[in-house]
Amino acid sequence: MKLARYHGAGVVRIEDEPEPICPPRGLLIQTEACGLCSGELMDWYMDRKVPHVLGHEVCGRVIESQDDRFSVGARVFPHHHAPCLNCDLCRRGHTVHCPQWKRTKLVPGGMAERFQVSAENLNDTLGVNHIAPGDAALIEPLACVEKSKRRARWAPEDRTAVIGLGVMGLMHALLCPGAIGFELNPDRRSHAESLGIAAESDGQYDVVFVCPGSQAAIERALELAAPGARIVLFAPLPPKRPMPLDLDALYFRDLEIITCYSCGPEDTRAAMQSIEQGLVRADQLVSHRITLDELPDAYLRMKRGEILKPMVFF
């Protein structure tokens, strides 16, 4: 079978791999759709994983099942990590720090014609027969946004700013009606406006979502934050690059800095519900529907900021 493997320095190759088998008590999946995540474009993050099969924004059809909850032919969304749901971290709601969550993965990955879902991963696998493949493949990234919104304690009355209107920023704005978007790229600003997202305006904000992992974006958030505001850092900065923060200003303005890493089962369920309600759709976010063979070129184009989001349809 064919899959897409990342080899470092932005190089993606389509390669042949032996067919996977159904894992004990797990599932074997025929991939239907898989999105390319913006996190998979970060060299500093990806190069330490090489060689690495891309793809975790994925859905597919069950072609072999060893679990009665998922029948052959069913469409499923499997999260690439799943917690045990029993440890102290899980009980306290910190599922993404569960040891099982950290060790689980899809094998060989979502950007493959077929892949395994282990029994452990079934703790965060959802049946999605009623959802189109392109929409179902958005559950994982949208779940990260659901967690971001939850950690921000967002309420409809909050004056809300979203910095960065790539796909993740657009999702934040779509889930937080009335949010104001801030974006340097004119094409992205125009696309956001076509979705009904208002462009940047002067003022102060109670919640600021910072989607790019950059010092400039964080500094802009501090400028926009009202006293008592919650600032959510949605993306990481490269490691070992300290960023100066005016702690005096943070303290005397009562600002909260909130981080948001990945998502867990409660977030994937919330994302599925938002998709069921039509709040977020693939046709709003997926700019290029491509084949697996077209992914290496699309990877570079997304990395250069030329396209918004490609999704592979198998």
Side-chain angles (χ1 to χ4, degrees), residues 260-275:
C260 185
Y261 169 53
S262 195
C263 58
E266 69 175 299
D267 307 305
T268 56
R269 290 192 297 270
M272 182 173 72
Q273 290 170 3
S274 291
I275 288 171

Side-chain angles (χ1 to χ4, degrees), residues 41-68:
L41 306 177
M42 299 187 297
D43 287 348
W44 65 265
Y45 178 68
M46 294 296 295
D47 285 0
R48 62 193 185 190
K49 297 183 174 187
V50 295
H52 174 73
V53 176
L54 295 173
H56 54 265
E57 303 178 359
V58 66
C59 80
R61 293 280 187 184
V62 177
I63 54 177
E64 187 175 342
S65 172
Q66 294 188 18
D67 188 294
D68 292 340

Side-chain angles (χ1 to χ4, degrees), residues 104-123:
T104 47
K105 62 181 180 178
L106 306 178
V107 179
M111 285 292 184
E113 292 178 312
R114 285 163 289 282
F115 62 88
Q116 300 173 340
V117 180
S118 72
E120 290 180 327
N121 280 90
L122 297 182
N123 280 351

Side-chain angles (χ1 to χ4, degrees), residues 167-227:
V167 168
M168 306 311 291
L170 293 174
M171 285 183 172
H172 275 89
L174 291 169
L175 284 187
C176 301
I180 306 297
F182 291 78
E183 171 59 56
L184 297 176
N185 184 314
D187 291 334
R188 290 186 175 185
R189 283 202 306 271
S190 177
H191 179 63
E193 290 170 359
S194 75
L195 298 178
I197 298 166
E200 60 186 87
S201 62
D202 294 333
Q204 291 191 310
Y205 297 86
D206 305 307
V207 176
V208 184
F209 295 104
V210 186
C211 294
S214 73
Q215 180 172 335
I218 295 172
E219 290 173 347
R220 184 70 171 118
L222 293 170
E223 294 171 359
L224 294 171

Side-chain angles (χ1 to χ4, degrees), residues 96-177:
V96 303
H97 303 289
C98 167
Q100 176 176 301
W101 190 95
K102 292 177 180 294
R103 73 169 180 264
T104 47
K105 62 181 180 178
L106 306 178
V107 179
M111 285 292 184
E113 292 178 312
R114 285 163 289 282
F115 62 88
Q116 300 173 340
V117 180
S118 72
E120 290 180 327
N121 280 90
L122 297 182
N123 280 351
D124 200 1
T125 295
L126 303 174
V128 291
N129 279 331
H130 56 302
I131 300 176
D135 294 331
L138 290 177
I139 289 176
E140 190 276 340
L142 185 60
C144 296
V145 178
E146 294 279 9
K147 178 180 174 180
S148 176
K149 179 180 172 182
R150 173 170 58 83
R151 284 180 61 81
R153 307 187 305 281
W154 183 85
E157 61 270 20
D158 285 325
R159 296 169 296 174
T160 305
V162 178
I163 298 177
L165 294 175
V167 168
M168 306 311 291
L170 293 174
M171 285 183 172
H172 275 89
L174 291 169
L175 284 187
C176 301

